[in-house]
Amino acid sequence: MFEILSAAEMRALEQAAIESGSVTGLELMERAGRAVVDAVFTEWPDLAKAPQKAVVLCGPGNNGGDGFVIARLLQDWGWEAAAFLYGDPALLPPDARMNYDRWCAMGPVHDLAQASVEGPKVALLVDALFGTGLRRPLQGVTLTVLDLWAEHRVAVDLPSGLCSDSGRVLGKVGATVRAALTVTFHAPKLGHVLADGPAVCGRLEVADIGLATTAVGAARLVASPDVKLLGKTVGAHKYGHGHALVLTGGAGTTGAARLAARAALRIGAGVVTLGVPPAAQLEVACQITALMLRRVRDGADLTSVLGDARINALCLGPGMGLSADKAGLLRVALQSGRALVLDADALTMIARDADLFALLHPGCVLTPHAGEFARLFPDLAQRLIGVPETGPAYSKVNATREAAKRAGCVVLFKGPDTVIAAPDGDCAIHPAAYGRQAPWLATAGAGDVLAGFIAGLLARGFDPMQAAETAAWLHVECARLFGPGLIAEDLPEMLPKVLRALPD
């Protein structure tokens, strides 16, 4: 699986490689520059056939050094390249200064202030201003680059103006270069996949520059699941694949729980039972077939139902309601020690009651969207919505890790940039971006299906982190396979096709 690095983690990997003697900083810079040029010609093959004009914007750090390499390589290819520098060349880091000097032997270096929006049209604009090193908003002369016109824009490592660790645009103005192509090195950075990152990076290309090391504790990209883990054991009976219990709301509000229950069954739980209050039993009985039904009115009923030791996972929250008797059910479920998925109304009840929050345990998975996260962790949410003026800015990864540690269980913070974290700091990101966009998930009930997927996997014996990651990936894949017109009921029905398409 891809690791997803912070700026500091990437710098540490590069420094470790340099200190080991396996590579020099100058060699890494040369590899990076060549990777950008190769990526540009791969993305836009016509540019390789007909050399044209390029403007290369170089910043005051090593990202600027990459830019001078790119200008030199384009010039060698026959292009007419113009290099602009932001800052004093005497203050460039040693390797960047070396490449500055090499370029000076080929052509002039212009002051960035001379870049004009009224200048000639160019085929390629290379943004090598700040990359992962940005610490403050674009301002003054650097803002002019936003309006420079080019047929194609490529960002080196990260579009300038975007925070590498949070994917948030720095400053109240929110200014950033928008790229059609972003070329980064060794591994994606957090800013590529979080918040505004996918919208401003265009297509993301990750180039190998020969770093073989990994960063301990880095976030991971959620990968496609192992199909073997999702199969069923030959000869095993239904209870051998787990028994999930999903609690419903009252009459007229059972639909969400029924969606979750069907999702749990589709993902392979051997048995799924709906726990239904008396007034809703007829409503539910008319709507289900393979799902089972048990009467659950209050905590005493739930205690009785949980006397069946084969029930090993519960899902609470979808359409459940917020009354005192529902809080009693939630308390019994938490005290049972069973694996739990807590969504929707269950999250709201926990946010309102510190005693319920204190009952959370490592077998729980919380699945908040942004509004629910703000109710559960208002201080963390406030830090996320504040305008970042300096980098690295507080990120969704920071918030989810802190939330998981505070809750003592796995937290799946939903969104196009879903972040999943465990109390020990393990963190995975599932961005529905860069070819895995799933805008059709913006439909009522989609979150209930996700909760059901997680519950079914917990019933099957997946650990909470593994269940959350696997469910998030499958949830998006089901939406992508169905496409336009998706409603929540379609998601579980797409799952068999998705599972059959997984590689052996």
Side-chain angles (χ1 to χ4, degrees), residues 30 34 37 41 48 51-52 54 68-81 99 102-103 105-107:
E30 188 74 17
R34 288 188 179 278
V37 173
F41 290 161
Q52 300 177 58
F68 288 117
V69 173
I70 294 164
R72 172 167 49 81
L73 294 174
L74 288 174
Q75 192 93 326
D76 289 343
W77 197 269
W79 280 61
E80 181 184 335
N99 279 306
R102 288 177 176 176
W103 170 255
M106 301 176 69

Side-chain angles (χ1 to χ4, degrees), residues 242-247 302 306 309-316 330 332-342 359-366 409-410 451-452 454-465 467-468:
H243 184 178
L245 174 67
V246 182
L247 299 187
L302 181 56
L306 292 179
R310 296 173 300 185
I311 297 174
N312 61 340
L314 286 77
C315 176
L316 285 81
L330 178 55
V332 170
L334 286 164
Q335 291 173 332
S336 74
R338 304 297 214 288
L340 293 175
V341 182
L342 301 172
L359 292 174
L360 293 171
H361 56 79
C364 298
V365 179
L366 311 185
C409 63
V410 167
I454 298 170
L457 293 169
L458 290 173
R460 297 192 61 178
F462 283 52
D463 68 61
M465 190 73 182

